Every structure is written in C-alpha cells, then in structure tokens.
Amino acid sequence: MPEIPFQTIDWTQILKAEQIGETGTAYSQTQEIGNLCIRKVTYSENYTADHWCQKGHIVHCLKGEFTIEVAGKEKSLLTTGMTFIVSDSASSHRATTTKGAELLIIDGDFLK
C-alpha cells in the first residue's frame, strides 16, 4: 500500500450516490486513495441490503443503529460508537436497519 500523505475529507463536497435496497435506500459518498476506499453511508429507516456481501470491511456506526446478518450465524446489533471488522471472503453478510444509521466504511486490499 502506498504512503498516504496528510489530507482532510470534506464530506459536504462529495456527491451522494443512491442505492435502492431490498427495502429502503442507502446514500453513499466515496473517497478513494489508491487501493483504500473510505465511504460515508447513510441507511434510511427500514433498509435491507439487496445483496449478501463477501468483501472485507471495517465499519463504524457514527449514528443510529443497524444489524449485521452473517449467513448461517447470529445477527449482531451495532449502535452509535460500535465497529465491526471482517476480511474478504470470511463471511457472507448484509446490513438491515429499522431506525436508520450513518456509517463510516473502510475497505481495501489490506483486508484480503
């Protein structure tokens, strides 16, 4: 991974992309630095992802709460200030929320 020089991210200047879920909507803002991807994602109320993900992530709940479902395992509720981490291909997982949530998601080659 290349060296990352000091920089700031002004999320108010990054466009939001809308993704329709199985139910609800996610709005994401993305900043890519080499193979590092940093996203700020907002889930609407009653959001359920439209897919099961195999990608590795570090996910920090900035506001609200959401449930991470891991296929074949228990569900975990994450609330404001909580974080989960998983490596690429370590699980099939998806997010749901009833109240809505705002997340900071970091992923990249270092999670392989």
Side-chain angles (χ1 to χ4, degrees), residues 34-101:
N35 292 326
L36 178 66
C37 180
I38 304 168
R39 292 179 286 145
K40 185 176 170 189
V41 179
T42 303
Y43 294 146
S44 71
E45 291 182 357
N46 301 312
Y47 173 78
T48 298
D50 66 347
H51 66 285
W52 288 87
C53 182
Q54 300 260 334
K55 186 156 181 56
H57 311 286
I58 298 170
V59 179
H60 181 74
C61 185
L62 298 167
K63 184 167 47 173
E65 64 182 44
F66 72 105
T67 298
I68 192 71
E69 295 181 72
V70 178
K73 297 190 179 184
E74 295 181 20
K75 299 176 183 179
S76 297
L77 177 67
L78 282 88
T79 58
T80 301
M82 293 180 73
T83 303
F84 84 82
I85 185 168
V86 64
S87 293
D88 284 358
S89 303
S91 72
S92 186
H93 53 276
R94 74 175 181 169
T96 63
T97 182
T98 56
K99 298 179 181 180

Side-chain angles (χ1 to χ4, degrees), residues 3-18:
E3 185 175 299
I4 299 170
F6 175 83
Q7 57 192 282
T8 61
I9 300 171
D10 182 352
W11 293 106
T12 64
Q13 300 300 309
I14 298 175
L15 296 177
K16 290 182 181 180
E18 179 181 83

